[in-house]
Amino acid sequence: LASEQGTIAIIGAGSWGTALSIALGSAGRRVAVWARRGELATAIGRGRRNPEYLSKYELPPTVRATGDLRDAVTGAAFVILAVPSHGMRAVCRQMVPHLSDRQAVVSGAKGLEHDSGKRMSEVILECFASRPRRAVAVLSGPNLAPEVAAGAATATVVASEDGEFAAEAQAALGTERLRVYTNADVLGVELGGVLKNVIAIGAGVSDGLRFGDNSKAALMTRGLAEMTRFGVAMGARPETFGGLSGIGDLVATCAGRQSRNHMVGFELAKGRSLDDVLSDMSPQVAEGVETTRAVVRRAASLGVEMPISEAVHAILFEGIPAADAVTSLMTRAGRDELED
Amino acid sequence: LASEQGTIAIIGAGSWGTALSIALGSAGRRVAVWARRGELATAIGRGRRNPEYLSKYELPPTVRATGDLRDAVTGAAFVILAVPSHGMRAVCRQMVPHLSDRQAVVSGAKGLEHDSGKRMSEVILECFASRPRRAVAVLSGPNLAPEVAAGAATATVVASEDGEFAAEAQAALGTERLRVYTNADVLGVELGGVLKNVIAIGAGVSDGLRFGDNSKAALMTRGLAEMTRFGVAMGARPETFGGLSGIGDLVATCAGRQSRNHMVGFELAKGRSLDDVLSDMSPQVAEGVETTRAVVRRAASLGVEMPISEAVHAILFEGIPAADAVTSLMTRAGRDELED
């Protein structure tokens, strides 16, 4: 495949961009990873590690770092966007003059645009107006970055409406350790990665309150149900939420040991303030916080019931104590399981 | 409700029977818990704790223990069978002369009969031949016994084809801390509790091999898909596997800290023999071991693909090293997610 010959550009040198660079580079792919700050790119190039993220892993020799966006994308068959969602539109605008429509763009971000509530693939398509809709793919799944960097066996999904493009991306990005599945339901795959962060904050609250595995399992079950309701109301396929980018990512994120979103809930349950938790985490972000705002607003306009997301919203933004919000959720009158 | 007035008989004083006794007794229900060994019943009565299971929790004053089956069931509106599946038929046969058809029977076991592969509700119905099919209910969900005994908020499902009976059971067994949902799909609810134990052994193997949360999440996702395929081929509703007794129980069990089935996989991954692991666990049993045998046999006759259950079977009974079986599973060629 021609696509296997070209470089893969990874835009963003945070933990996900760094992990992907290591995973793809270790499989012999030529990777250019772009860091927004030139000094970070220089430090990576010099030390052969990213000093700020996953610093214990060496970059394979096939990976080079650059602070120049044009340099990063030139000649790349695939451009993977691994930036936080709040930075996506600005980075895409910067890329426009340097990218041809023949270069494939893949979104690896799991959030919504803050004010508009738009999905990342929508933002990308708006920036690259001449690009056909199907030429933007989404990469999502249970892909905790530290494990991907460590070479742990991981499965992920590339979603594109164009089966041929999806198969090309599968060949270009899949390795022995990073198994890539395809899915034509771009909307469902993208929403799974977005919505699970909200439920993961709730799971973190449950764990922070020491509610136990029974409670957390019930919360995740009902969380997946509301993710699916929301997705279906938006036009996604319900089966997608039963797959790697839905339940798979939900399970990996709610396990908790490695998720920033889970950590936010966990710390809030201990009585800390949101500002305090987020400033400790900076410059890293927990995408689920702003996502909760956008999702609850959109759910209201769609008329979709999302009690867990609403409880997370109440904890994050309405000053409701975590224990009260989760307790009222757990004691909510339930009758028939399939009607609730 | 009349059913709320009567005693609840809990047949079996293992960890699940003990936890249920404590949870129901703490909510003021009158409970008679039957222990197969008379000396255990006596010890429970004298010490107000079960010295063998969950011994740190005191029994509420409304719970009494007995070694006499007739004594346990007489006057009970609900009889909950909390015995291991290998003992179910013998206990039911003993109960036949003492039980009227007006007393509700609820199965709380999560296994299959070893030789026949029959579900517990089928075994119960065979024993009580005059009983209408709908008068046997199934109790299943993410209900780790130590947490139920500790009073942690827990959700569970009572399944019966008879909506009125299910609602009665919901009122009789539900408490502030044990939320009972109903579901008419008895087959699906029962199979969820059975099949998840097989996947939990696989998750234990993955954890024992230190494969990480990404791998385990992928295994659980594909595990749920094969549980659902099997269930649907048997006549269950696919939605049931997305509920508390499906994904919910799967998530709680695969978390691992409290599951005997997960422990079996974990220890096998360390290179120990099955006999060794099971004899350490005795007299407690890991239902998933014998279930795996029955499920793989049945899947073959139904023509249902169950690669994870087959891998677990290979590890348990065919002498295949755990690492080989799980690695070949993870590197199995995957293409489109929804077609796989």
Side-chain angles (χ1 to χ4, degrees):
Chain A
L1 273 176
S3 57
E4 282 190 277
Q5 312 301 317
T7 309
I8 297 168
I10 296 178
I11 306 305
S15 64
W16 184 218
T18 303
L20 267 179
S21 301
I22 293 167
L24 295 172
S26 301
R29 314 289 158 81
R30 278 185 295 135
V31 173
V33 57
W34 174 78
R36 187 170 48 81
R37 286 168 293 140
E39 64 272 24
L40 180 58
T42 307
I44 296 171
R46 205 162 36 213
R48 304 306 304 155
R49 297 164 194 271
N50 184 331
E52 298 185 12
Y53 298 97
L54 302 169
S55 57
K56 67 172 173 168
Y57 300 101
E58 203 177 334
L59 296 189
T62 47
V63 177
R64 68 184 180 86
T66 176
D68 179 342
L69 201 50
R70 176 184 201 152
D71 174 35
V73 302
T74 300
F78 287 86
V79 176
I80 305 177
L81 288 154
V83 294
S85 56
H86 67 79
M88 183 65 84
R89 190 177 293 269
V91 167
C92 285
R93 281 191 180 143
Q94 273 185 270
M95 275 174 32
V96 167
H98 310 307
L99 214 65
S100 86
D101 283 354
R102 297 189 42 192
Q103 292 175 284
V105 174
V106 181
S107 168
K110 292 179 178 172
L112 298 173
E113 194 172 43
H114 291 188
D115 291 331
S116 70
K118 285 177 181 161
R119 291 175 292 117
M120 291 298 107
S121 66
E122 294 179 293
V123 170
I124 295 168
L125 278 163
E126 285 180 6
C127 292
F128 299 96
S130 65
R131 180 171 284 266
R133 185 183 182 77
R134 53 181 217 168
V136 173
V138 167
L139 180 71
S140 195
N143 306 145
L144 296 161
E147 294 188 0
V148 171
T154 296
T156 194
V157 180
V158 164
S160 168
E161 293 167 20
D162 180 345
E164 224 172 290
F165 174 29
E168 264 182 57
Q170 185 176 41
L173 308 178
T175 75
E176 193 64 30
R177 293 179 178 175
L178 183 66
R179 312 292 301 176
V180 176
Y181 289 77
T182 58
N183 188 323
D185 180 14
V186 177
L187 183 59
V189 168
E190 193 163 28
L191 285 176
V194 165
L195 296 167
K196 59 91 193 183
N197 283 331
V198 179
I199 308 302
I201 295 175
V205 170
S206 178
D207 283 344
L209 294 170
R210 303 191 166 281
F211 275 22
D213 287 342
N214 291 349
S215 267
K216 186 160 80 165
L219 185 140
M220 288 166 65
T221 303
R222 294 170 64 182
L224 184 68
E226 72 182 53
M227 288 168 59
T228 308
R229 279 199 296 275
F230 184 94
V232 168
M234 296 279 287
R237 292 178 62 178
E239 311 88 275
T240 300
F241 294 89
L244 291 166
S245 60
I247 174 181
D249 198 2
L250 180 70
V251 163
T253 308
C254 291
R257 286 178 289 268
Q258 303 172 74
S259 158
R260 294 193 290 267
N261 294 290
H262 181 279
M263 194 183 106
V264 166
F266 194 88
E267 296 296 324
L268 290 175
K270 304 271 179 227
R272 292 181 65 194
S273 77
L274 181 60
D275 283 350
D276 192 26
V277 174
L278 295 183
S279 74
D280 264 13
M281 189 177 280
S282 175
Q284 296 196 70
V285 295
E287 291 273 13
V289 175
E290 287 303 320
T291 295
T292 301
R293 222 192 279 272
V295 165
V296 166
R297 199 169 49 212
R298 190 64 169 265
S301 74
L302 289 168
V304 174
E305 259 199 83
M306 300 191 81
I308 296 170
S309 302
E310 282 158 26
V312 170
H313 190 276
I315 296 167
L316 290 174
F317 307 119
E318 300 165 35
I320 308 294
D324 295 358
V326 175
T327 303
S328 84
L329 201 63
M330 282 303 295
T331 55
R332 191 163 161 266
R335 296 203 60 79
D336 193 90
E337 209 195 2
L338 301 179
E339 286 163 18
D340 186 50
Chain B
L1 272 176
S3 56
E4 283 191 276
Q5 312 303 317
T7 308
I8 297 167
I10 296 178
I11 306 305
S15 63
W16 184 219
T18 302
L20 267 179
S21 302
I22 294 168
L24 295 172
S26 300
R29 312 288 158 82
R30 278 186 294 134
V31 173
V33 58
W34 174 77
R36 188 171 48 81
R37 287 167 292 141
E39 64 274 21
L40 180 57
T42 307
I44 295 172
R46 208 163 31 215
R48 303 307 303 157
R49 297 164 193 273
N50 185 330
E52 298 185 12
Y53 299 97
L54 302 170
S55 57
K56 67 174 171 166
Y57 299 101
E58 203 177 333
L59 295 189
T62 47
V63 177
R64 68 184 180 86
T66 176
D68 179 342
L69 201 50
R70 176 183 202 153
D71 175 33
V73 302
T74 300
F78 287 85
V79 177
I80 304 177
L81 288 154
V83 295
S85 56
H86 67 79
M88 183 65 83
R89 191 178 292 270
V91 167
C92 285
R93 282 191 181 143
Q94 272 184 271
M95 275 175 32
V96 167
H98 310 306
L99 214 65
S100 85
D101 283 354
R102 298 188 43 191
Q103 292 176 283
V105 175
V106 181
S107 167
K110 293 179 177 174
L112 298 173
E113 194 173 44
H114 290 187
D115 291 332
S116 71
K118 285 178 181 162
R119 292 175 291 117
M120 291 299 107
S121 67
E122 293 180 296
V123 171
I124 294 167
L125 279 163
E126 285 179 6
C127 293
F128 300 96
S130 66
R131 181 171 283 266
R133 184 182 185 78
R134 55 182 214 167
V136 173
V138 166
L139 180 71
S140 195
N143 306 143
L144 297 161
E147 294 189 1
V148 171
T154 296
T156 193
V157 181
V158 165
S160 168
E161 292 167 21
D162 180 345
E164 226 172 289
F165 174 30
E168 264 181 59
Q170 185 177 40
L173 308 179
T175 75
E176 193 64 29
R177 292 178 179 176
L178 183 66
R179 311 293 300 176
V180 177
Y181 289 77
T182 58
N183 188 323
D185 180 14
V186 178
L187 183 59
V189 169
E190 193 163 27
L191 285 176
V194 165
L195 297 167
K196 60 91 193 184
N197 283 330
V198 179
I199 308 302
I201 295 175
V205 170
S206 178
D207 283 344
L209 295 169
R210 303 191 167 282
F211 274 22
D213 288 342
N214 290 349
S215 268
K216 186 160 79 164
L219 185 141
M220 289 167 65
T221 303
R222 293 169 64 183
L224 184 69
E226 74 183 50
M227 288 168 59
T228 308
R229 278 198 298 272
F230 184 94
V232 168
M234 296 278 287
R237 293 177 61 177
E239 312 88 276
T240 300
F241 294 90
L244 291 165
S245 60
I247 173 182
D249 198 3
L250 180 69
V251 163
T253 309
C254 291
R257 287 177 288 268
Q258 304 172 74
S259 158
R260 293 191 291 266
N261 294 290
H262 181 279
M263 196 182 103
V264 166
F266 194 89
E267 296 296 323
L268 290 175
K270 304 267 178 231
R272 292 181 64 195
S273 77
L274 181 60
D275 283 350
D276 193 25
V277 174
L278 295 182
S279 74
D280 264 13
M281 190 178 280
S282 174
Q284 297 197 70
V285 295
E287 292 273 12
V289 174
E290 286 302 320
T291 295
T292 301
R293 223 192 278 272
V295 165
V296 166
R297 198 170 49 211
R298 189 65 169 264
S301 74
L302 289 167
V304 175
E305 258 198 84
M306 300 190 81
I308 296 170
S309 303
E310 283 157 26
V312 170
H313 190 276
I315 296 167
L316 291 173
F317 307 119
E318 300 165 35
I320 307 293
D324 295 358
V326 175
T327 303
S328 83
L329 201 62
M330 282 304 295
T331 54
R332 190 163 161 266
R335 296 202 60 79
D336 192 90
E337 208 195 3
L338 301 179
E339 286 163 18
D340 185 49

